[in-house]
Amino acid sequence: MLLTVPELLMLMLGFLVIATLYSSVGFGGGSSYLALLALVFVSFFAIRSTALVCNLIVVSGSSYLYFKKGHLDFKKFLPFILTSIPMAFLGARFRLSEEVFFILLGSALIISALALIFQTVRLKKSEEVSAHYPAYVTYLLGAGIGLLSGLVGIGGGIFLAPILNHMKWDKSIKIAALASFFILVNSVSGIGGLLTNGTFELPWIEAVGLMVAVGIGGQIGIRLSLSKLTGKGIKIVTAILVLTVGIRVLLVNGLQLQF
């Protein structure tokens, strides 16, 4: 066992809170799992693998509930999925230098979050319109974000949702459902890439405890979202989470560069 029992319980509590917050807007929490795991695990392979598995647990439950409520439009989601799965698999097989990438990643997240906040604040209470785009746009978005998600070891919904909300691709609840399902398939694909590359490493005792924690938190978050959050509320929570992650990525990366 890598952690003491008190350390594991504290980590489980952190994962439960993260899963609750992120699942409320269709995310799995992978980016924040990576940050916490980096504090306690030495192996980067164990960090990526554990984050992907926890992602998978959260979004599996969320996707099922979105499906039951009729928010999963498989026909409309299919172009994203068809291109993202192979690209996430390909991305997971690459060994990437972390420092420069995380600077770009943090900047992109902050910009997309601020744009989404600006757009949402200007949105009238009853207004939530959907725009129409050519099919190739969804294929390209799916491929690009799938590759990015595989490279960094998260499901990719945290990149996809703010972009689609800003594009007014569909209603907020539909975008949250797509983000959840997108993360689900890309987490599976990413795990497949790690397995074939021989870099899947899971500390089983810790992983089981964390899977239980995120399973509970994920169910709390998605049920609160479906019953309490409006479309505008989903966008605001999405933007705040993405902005927080972007700032944290830049701060953590800056500290790494100093030392």
Side-chain angles (χ1 to χ4, degrees), residues 22 113 116-117 234-246:
Y22 279 72
L116 181 56
I117 290 172
I234 290 173
K235 287 184 177 181
I236 289 292
V237 175
T238 300
I240 291 171
L241 287 174
V242 173
L243 181 62
T244 302
V245 173

Side-chain angles (χ1 to χ4, degrees), residues 69-105:
K69 296 289 184 179
H71 299 307
L72 273 179
D73 186 344
F74 289 108
K75 185 177 180 180
K76 195 168 184 179
F77 293 178
L78 190 60
F80 291 100
I81 305 307
L82 287 177
T83 53
S84 68
I85 291 175
M87 295 305 288
F89 180 87
L90 181 64
R93 291 181 57 83
F94 277 92
R95 296 174 182 267
L96 193 67
S97 173
E98 299 171 47
E99 289 81 2
V100 174
F101 173 77
F102 277 117
I103 292 174
L104 297 175
L105 171 61

Side-chain angles (χ1 to χ4, degrees), residues 164-238:
L164 294 184
N165 273 305
H166 190 68
M167 291 169 59
K168 299 181 180 178
W169 178 79
D170 208 324
K171 293 181 179 179
S172 300
I173 190 68
K174 291 274 191 177
I175 292 174
L178 169 59
S180 187
F181 190 64
F182 188 87
I183 293 168
L184 171 62
V185 297
N186 285 306
S187 293
V188 172
S189 182
I191 290 171
L194 295 179
L195 285 168
T196 59
N197 200 33
T199 55
F200 184 79
E201 182 182 321
L202 207 62
W204 283 102
I205 296 176
E206 287 81 2
V208 169
L210 297 176
M211 288 161 65
V212 171
V214 298
I216 295 170
Q219 285 299 297
I220 293 172
I222 183 61
R223 292 173 191 276
L224 287 174
S225 173
L226 290 172
S227 62
K228 302 292 184 183
L229 283 181
T230 62
K232 190 170 183 177
I234 290 173
K235 287 184 177 181
I236 289 292
V237 175
T238 300

Side-chain angles (χ1 to χ4, degrees), residues 118-134:
F118 177 72
Q119 180 202 70
T120 306
V121 168
R122 295 179 59 197
L123 189 69
K124 294 179 181 178
K125 190 171 183 180
S126 59
E127 179 189 3
E128 197 175 22
V129 295
S130 301
H132 297 282
Y133 293 91

